Amino acid sequence: MREQILNDLKEAMKSKDKERLAVIRLVKGSMQMAELDKGHELSDDEVMDVISKEIKSRRDSIAEFEKGGRDDLIKQASDEIKILEEYLPKPFSEDEVMKIVDEVFAEVNPTSSKEMGKVMKELTPKLKNRADMSFVSKIVKEKINKVG
């Protein structure tokens, strides 16, 4: 994964794709910061975590840009998200997420909202980097409130 990003960086330089180059450079910088923090070269999962954080950051920025009516910045952030998503596995559909949530609910069998942490603990490794975890959390909250 790390090698793929470095190769794509070189390709973006050669093809003079400024937007892609800027995004990949930012990811590379974030990866380097994470490697310094962790004290080792990142695994593929850790690289995906870095990319997911970058996507989340841009989604948060889009929400702020919408409040400010900055359509130009919304488009730029959306374009950057598309580039970043190329490095992550194909996301699960809403139906696939619901199915996995249902399976975990059957396993954990929560009886109150106090057990949301248990449910999320089981869901996170199954859905990490393949679903929007804030969406998953919302679904779990709704479902657990019906139970409790």
Side-chain angles (χ1 to χ4, degrees):
M1 179 87 151
R2 187 176 200 290
E3 294 301 315
Q4 177 68 43
I5 290 170
L6 296 176
N7 287 337
D8 289 352
L9 180 71
K10 290 175 193 168
E11 283 302 313
M13 283 180 186
K14 287 178 186 174
S15 65
K16 295 183 172 46
D17 185 345
K18 290 180 183 175
E19 185 179 339
R20 186 174 197 77
L21 180 61
V23 172
I24 295 172
R25 277 187 173 149
L26 204 120
V27 169
K28 184 180 175 224
S30 296
M31 284 171 35
Q32 288 171 329
M33 290 297 293
E35 286 174 346
L36 284 174
D37 291 345
K38 295 182 186 289
H40 63 83
E41 194 172 293
L42 299 180
S43 67
D44 282 354
D45 281 345
E46 290 169 324
V47 171
M48 284 191 274
D49 289 345
V50 168
I51 293 169
S52 293
K53 284 179 189 170
E54 292 293 335
I55 290 172
K56 183 181 183 324
S57 167
R58 279 161 183 75
R59 285 195 176 126
D60 293 345
S61 296
I62 287 173
E64 293 300 313
F65 297 152
E66 285 171 345
K67 289 178 191 172
R70 295 294 309 266
D71 294 337
D72 57 328
L73 295 176
I74 292 170
K75 183 186 178 334
Q76 179 184 349
S78 297
D79 291 345
E80 290 174 0
I81 288 171
K82 286 178 189 158
I83 292 169
L84 291 167
E85 285 176 338
E86 293 173 17
Y87 295 101
L88 296 179
K90 182 180 173 284
F92 287 128
S93 69
E94 201 169 310
D95 291 339
E96 289 171 314
V97 171
M98 293 301 290
K99 183 178 178 222
I100 293 170
V101 168
D102 290 341
E103 288 170 2
V104 169
F105 260 77
E107 285 173 29
V108 175
N109 200 15
T111 55
S112 74
S113 59
K114 292 178 183 174
E115 295 183 55
M116 184 169 170
K118 282 184 184 175
V119 175
M120 291 304 290
K121 184 179 177 188
E122 291 296 316
L123 278 172
T124 300
K126 295 177 182 192
L127 297 174
K128 190 173 163 187
N129 297 322
R130 301 223 30 213
D132 179 358
M133 293 310 287
S134 59
F135 170 71
V136 172
S137 177
K138 187 178 136 206
I139 292 172
V140 170
K141 250 184 220 160
E142 290 171 3
K143 196 168 172 72
I144 213 162
N145 285 335
K146 291 177 186 173
V147 173

